[in-house]
Amino acid sequence: MHVCLILFPGFPMLALSLVREVLRLANAGAGQQLFSLCIRTVSGAAVPDRDGTPVPGELPDWHGAQGFDLVLLCAGEAPLAALPMGLRAFLLRAEAAGATLGGLDTGGTILARLGFLDGRESVLPDSARDDLPDIIQGIALSPAPFALDRQRLTTAGGLAAADALLAWIARVQDPALAAATAEAMAQGRVREAGRCQRMAITADPLLERMQSIMAARIEAPIAVERVASELGLSPKQLRLRCRKGLNRTPAQVYLDLRLARAEHLVTGTALSVSEIAKAAGFASPSAFTRSYHARFGAPPRRPRTTGQRHPAGEPAATRH
């Protein structure tokens, strides 16, 4: 699958780095070149990032839109300052060929201005309210870090670009690959066997897929009802199947996976409790601390200072 990243002046270099790293790790985890990345610039010439570092584009024109599966716009603090005549036509051709259109950071403002987000759930920066007061009324604004709605992918800034791209991979390619890639992002390497080794063991392939869907959406958890829908089941059917296969409810399995991610970050990184709470999908540091203490019998700061891990290195998601 082919990804096109279009850079605008003042774009965040972090977003470019995250896109490159997610696709690299996904290819490594799959053991083959599943994804390619083409970098264009809005002008065809090199454009500077937020710090002034110039980045060249690989293609100088607006041809080839039909060859991409995902087209991402990545912009800076003035996203509407220079919109070329050929951009909207390029996006229309890409959309007609089946591509998902996305905006990283303020790139979503450009999609909104060009009319591509009407009626879609979208994540837009606060500045869009001032830049597009009329247009924004027709968009379903989301407070989440990213939104993936009917071939539209929009994100907030920072690390949300990685989570959004992982969600796209889970949808168009393989939830298990997305989960393994997410785990590789945390570990700094791709795990063997191409899957997230923190998932609970089950002989039911549907429950493996359920855990993969959940693991790909740790930082921004989705409702269990939506998980069931993606599996083609009703919430009741999923709950019964999960009880039978894992002796857990889907919500309990989801919490297991989130706490497993948190345990890894507590014991293996220098992130603050609030940063870990956000990375594990908790609404607040206090809610995270309560859940962590209830599961592991100690506050999240304690393992970091003592250097102790849980017994026998047992994956937290399998301890009930």
Side-chain angles (χ1 to χ4, degrees):
M1 306 193 76
H2 305 292
V3 178
C4 176
L5 179 61
I6 303 175
L7 303 177
F8 289 71
F11 73 93
M13 184 64 77
L14 176 61
L16 171 58
S17 299
L18 288 172
V19 170
R20 281 174 165 165
E21 186 67 0
V22 168
L23 296 181
R24 183 188 71 81
L25 289 172
N27 286 333
Q32 58 181 307
Q33 190 76 14
L34 288 181
F35 303 99
S36 68
L37 176 62
C38 173
I39 298 176
R40 293 178 184 247
T41 65
V42 71
S43 63
V47 298
D49 73 348
R50 284 178 178 170
D51 295 326
T53 303
V55 175
E58 298 172 9
L59 296 174
D61 52 42
W62 295 112
H63 296 298
Q66 292 83 354
F68 296 110
D69 301 283
L70 175 64
V71 177
L72 297 171
L73 310 184
C74 188
E77 294 181 358
L80 304 179
L83 298 184
M85 293 294 294
L87 176 60
R88 190 171 191 276
F90 176 86
L91 294 175
L92 285 171
R93 292 196 301 273
E95 178 187 36
T100 293
L101 306 182
L104 306 180
D105 206 324
T106 60
T109 301
I110 299 172
L111 288 180
R113 175 64 180 83
L114 297 178
F116 288 103
L117 298 183
D118 293 348
R120 302 301 213 286
E121 180 184 5
S122 306
V123 176
L124 293 176
D126 293 337
S127 60
R129 299 178 185 275
D130 298 325
D131 295 337
L132 308 168
D134 297 327
I135 293 176
I136 207 169
Q137 295 179 8
I139 299 172
L141 295 179
S142 171
F146 70 88
L148 179 54
D149 182 11
R150 290 169 293 162
Q151 291 185 283
R152 296 294 184 271
L153 180 62
T154 50
T155 80
L159 300 177
D163 291 319
L165 196 53
L166 288 167
W168 176 76
I169 291 173
R171 174 176 292 186
V172 303
Q173 189 61 236
D174 182 10
L177 176 61
T181 304
E183 189 74 1
M185 292 285 289
Q187 296 287 345
R189 59 183 175 85
V190 176
R191 287 180 176 269
E192 296 179 0
R195 55 163 292 173
C196 176
Q197 296 180 9
R198 291 177 179 266
M199 294 192 295
I201 297 173
T202 173
D204 187 336
L206 184 137
L207 294 182
E208 284 197 350
R209 187 179 170 209
M210 176 196 76
Q211 293 182 85
S212 296
I213 292 172
M214 292 174 173
R217 297 171 172 92
I218 293 293
E219 185 171 341
I222 60 176
V224 169
E225 290 77 9
R226 183 173 168 186
V227 176
S229 177
E230 292 194 17
L231 293 170
L233 299 176
S234 69
K236 182 178 180 180
Q237 289 173 322
L238 179 60
R239 185 166 56 252
L240 291 173
R241 194 153 177 173
C242 199
R243 278 287 192 188
K244 181 179 179 180
L246 296 173
N247 195 31
R248 308 283 280 167
T249 66
Q252 288 171 329
V253 173
Y254 212 159
L255 180 60
D256 288 342
L257 291 169
R258 291 164 59 204
L259 287 173
R261 168 70 64 81
E263 181 199 21
H264 165 74
L265 295 175
V266 167
T267 59
T269 75
L271 294 177
S272 68
V273 170
S274 61
E275 289 172 324
I276 294 172
K278 182 179 179 180
F282 287 88
S284 67
S286 59
F288 163 60
T289 299
R290 287 194 299 271
S291 294
Y292 191 94
H293 192 283
R295 175 60 53 86
F296 301 121
R301 293 184 183 87
R302 183 178 174 184
R304 188 199 310 269
T305 57
T306 62
Q308 295 175 351
R309 295 190 64 88
H310 296 286
E314 180 185 3
T318 62
R319 294 194 300 277
H320 308 318

